[in-house]
Amino acid sequence: QVQLVESGGGLVQPGRSLRLSCAASGSIFSINTMGWYRQTPGNRRELVAVISSGGSTNYADSVKGRFTISRNNAKNTVYLQMNSLKSEDTAVYYCNALVATMEIYVHDYWGQGTQVTVSS
């Protein structure tokens, strides 16, 4: 079994920065893609950023130039550096990871979510 634990969320003023982290633990053989998603009331969960095991990244248009995703493979941890935060960034942010617990067994795992609130 695998667990993803997020941290770093909170209340921040517009224009400020926040850094989220997500650590994976458990029976991990390898981790392929890791990513961050966010969800607001009444909306579907949407992709924010993803990163491959090799470091290739992809971002939602709404966060390009402001957010940076990174990972530390040795620590099985993914980060999301959020700069120039706007009120529309307010959401619950979820960590996601595609994990192989054995060579041929691969499954998506989700964190519990961490609240990010951007308000003046």
Side-chain angles (χ1 to χ4, degrees):
Q1 57 189 51
V2 176
Q3 285 189 314
L4 303 180
V5 180
E6 299 129 328
S7 62
L11 175 64
V12 65
Q13 294 179 316
R16 297 297 187 181
S17 299
L18 208 58
R19 189 177 191 237
L20 306 182
S21 64
C22 171
S25 62
S27 301
I28 300 171
F29 177 77
S30 64
I31 302 178
N32 192 346
T33 301
M34 301 186 82
W36 290 94
Y37 295 71
R38 65 187 181 188
Q39 187 170 26
T40 56
N43 293 288
R44 306 287 295 184
R45 191 171 299 181
E46 65 176 5
L47 173 70
V48 177
V50 294
I51 184 168
S52 72
S53 60
S56 297
T57 59
N58 192 27
Y59 298 90
D61 289 339
S62 59
V63 307
K64 286 182 179 178
R66 299 189 298 118
F67 291 10
T68 302
I69 188 170
S70 61
R71 64 190 287 172
N72 185 323
N73 291 332
K75 296 181 179 179
N76 290 328
T77 301
V78 63
Y79 307 92
L80 185 67
Q81 178 66 45
M82 303 183 292
N83 297 328
S84 301
L85 283 163
K86 305 174 180 179
S87 60
E88 49 263 47
D89 294 318
T90 296
V92 176
Y93 284 71
Y94 295 90
C95 176
N96 171 264
L98 181 60
V99 180
T101 55
M102 294 180 70
E103 294 95 321
I104 62 172
Y105 297 111
V106 184
H107 186 70
D108 271 326
Y109 292 90
W110 292 90
Q112 81 286 351
T114 184
Q115 177 70 48
V116 172
T117 301
V118 185
S119 177
S120 59

